[in-house]
Amino acid sequence: TGVQTCAKLFAGDEVQFGHAGAKSGGEEESAQAKNAALRDAGAIVPNAFEGLEAAITDVYRKLVESGKHTPAPDVPVRTLPEDLVAAQAAGRVRVPTNFVTTISDDRGDEPRFAGKPISDVMEKAGGIGDIVSLLWFKRTLPTWATKFLEMVLMLCADHGPCVSGAHNAIVAARAGKDLVSCVASGMLTIGPRFGGAVDGAARNFLRGKDENIPPFDFVEQAKKAGIRLPGIGHRIKSVDNPDKRVELLIDYARKNFPSTDYLNYALEVEKITTAKSGNLILNVDGTIAALFLDVMKASKMFSPAEVKQVTSIGYLNGLFLLSRTIGLVGHALDQYRLNQPLYRHQQTDVLFVNEEIGYVDEQ
């Protein structure tokens, strides 16, 4: 009611203050009359709205002094935690990160590859081999080494439509799948039997050469263990039908590498295996493996621990993966461009063996 007393300050009788639907019909219904009635009845009524705080405070103090009211103890105000973003920006807190990266950084004015500004990289890089060198190995390999990487990427980009990866990509494209799905389908065939033997071959040649195992013993050890030598053997290539890709890589290494100790060892192993069978040649996987071991040794930029790590976590298989992606994309786009229909394999090319297998208990 104290709020309504200001209505008298306005001229006329039409200005009123109150809740919705309320209307004062006369002087006895005015705010002043109501306040007077409440005061006569014993209520504490301030003269105006501004007096409410003082009146409430006075009543509360008197109740406490008279013992009629015992104040509740003050509750300590909980301190709100500082805003994390502000605290982190001011350097007062350190927040654990979800990722750790050491190869690139996109903060600042321009991206950085292995700490180098992209403008500097583009000015000095001679090709994609330099980019692979920075992003994969975090160092600038010599030109003869980056050119070798580029040769690998070019020579292994495709090997026709009949190999596992291309076949899968083609079938997926003809089934109407999108480009990413087609490439992924082809990639998933890469493994120990197709394109993924580079790491294994590198580990074997590294062990054989560094432990001074004679090539003959190296082959015999694998034979006795009943394992295939990764990097040795080809389905269609042989001594009489050599793989041109291998010849080109070896020729480049002979002319440009400071040394080819691991390649020489691999070729000595090949002499032993081809004496057993003409198709047990040093294949492209084995050649890449041996030559990259030579890159790491001849460049003198890799410690023994780093060499072991490179051959253990997929670096060299990654070269084949990166290279063959070019061909997989090409095969998928080729099928789209030719508008090829859904592929279904011919039944005449399938041997159906579906007789029930019986069990005979001889006892």
Side-chain angles (χ1 to χ4, degrees):
T1 57
V3 176
Q4 298 185 41
T5 58
C6 64
K8 292 292 185 180
L9 300 176
F10 294 89
D13 298 328
E14 297 302 321
V15 178
Q16 298 183 11
F17 295 91
H19 61 82
K23 179 174 173 59
S24 174
E27 183 62 32
E28 67 278 5
E29 294 181 350
S30 67
Q32 283 78 6
K34 293 177 182 179
N35 287 343
L38 286 170
R39 190 177 292 110
D40 292 341
I44 305 300
V45 183
N47 294 325
F49 180 80
E50 290 81 0
L52 277 173
E53 180 180 359
I56 292 172
T57 301
D58 184 59
V59 171
Y60 178 79
R61 179 180 55 78
K62 289 178 179 178
L63 289 173
V64 172
E65 291 175 351
S66 66
K68 294 181 180 179
H69 175 72
T70 301
D74 289 336
V75 178
V77 178
R78 182 173 66 90
T79 303
L80 292 176
E82 185 178 7
D83 179 74
L84 178 61
V85 175
Q88 188 175 7
R92 288 190 290 273
V93 295
R94 183 173 60 189
V95 181
T97 57
N98 293 313
F99 289 96
V100 177
T101 182
T102 64
I103 65 170
S104 64
D105 190 344
D106 63 345
R107 300 170 299 175
D109 295 335
E110 59 180 314
R112 291 174 175 267
F113 290 174
K116 297 180 181 294
I118 190 66
S119 56
D120 186 48
V121 173
M122 294 305 296
E123 180 181 348
K124 297 178 180 178
I128 191 65
D130 295 276
I131 306 302
V132 173
S133 171
L134 289 173
L135 292 180
W136 288 22
F137 303 102
K138 296 174 57 179
R139 65 203 74 191
T140 302
L141 293 174
T143 301
W144 57 266
T146 57
K147 291 300 181 183
F148 164 71
L149 294 179
E150 292 173 10
M151 281 191 69
V152 171
L153 296 181
M154 290 187 286
L155 292 173
C156 296
D158 191 56
H159 203 213
C162 300
V163 296
S164 303
H167 176 84
N168 268 28
I170 290 171
V171 171
R174 291 180 62 165
K177 299 296 290 184
D178 61 274
L179 180 61
V180 174
S181 298
C182 296
V183 173
S185 175
M187 282 184 174
L188 291 175
T189 66
I190 297 174
R193 297 182 179 181
F194 169 62
V198 188
D199 282 320
R203 287 192 295 270
N204 275 348
F205 292 145
L206 181 67
R207 178 181 62 86
K209 174 68 175 65
D210 288 0
E211 295 179 10
N212 295 315
I213 301 174
F216 180 84
D217 294 344
F218 179 83
V219 175
E220 287 301 305
Q221 288 176 7
K223 180 180 178 181
K224 290 178 181 179
I227 60 174
R228 292 172 177 266
L229 282 174
I232 296 292
H234 201 282
R235 292 290 300 272
I236 61 174
K237 296 298 180 179
S238 65
V239 174
D240 298 322
N241 179 28
D243 190 334
K244 190 64 177 179
R245 299 172 301 173
V246 171
E247 293 180 341
L248 290 170
L249 287 169
I250 292 176
D251 181 64
Y252 176 81
R254 296 287 193 213
K255 293 177 180 178
N256 296 280
F257 280 30
S259 63
T260 55
D261 295 343
Y262 291 98
L263 174 64
N264 296 340
Y265 183 82
L267 291 174
E268 289 300 313
V269 170
E270 182 189 46
K271 291 179 182 179
I272 306 300
T273 56
T274 52
K276 299 176 181 295
S277 177
N279 70 326
L280 293 180
I281 59 172
L282 180 67
N283 59 33
V284 70
D285 290 354
T287 306
I288 293 171
L291 287 178
F292 201 86
L293 291 174
D294 284 323
V295 166
M296 291 189 286
K297 180 180 180 180
S299 67
K300 299 179 180 180
M301 299 178 70
F302 295 82
S303 68
E306 288 175 320
V307 171
K308 184 176 181 180
Q309 184 183 58
V310 166
T311 60
S312 300
I313 64 174
Y315 274 94
L316 305 185
N317 284 347
L319 285 175
F320 183 88
L321 176 65
L322 176 61
S323 173
R324 190 50 58 95
T325 301
I326 301 171
L328 297 178
V329 170
H331 281 295
L333 295 177
D334 188 45
Q335 298 302 304
Y336 295 152
R337 184 170 54 248
L338 296 173
N339 196 27
Q340 291 293 285
L342 177 67
Y343 175 80
R344 190 177 192 278
H345 202 69
Q346 296 180 5
Q347 290 183 346
T348 54
D349 193 38
V350 178
L351 175 61
F352 292 91
V353 182
N354 54 14
E355 292 85 0
E356 181 179 354
I357 297 177
Y359 173 71
V360 179
D361 187 347
E362 296 181 353
Q363 298 183 5

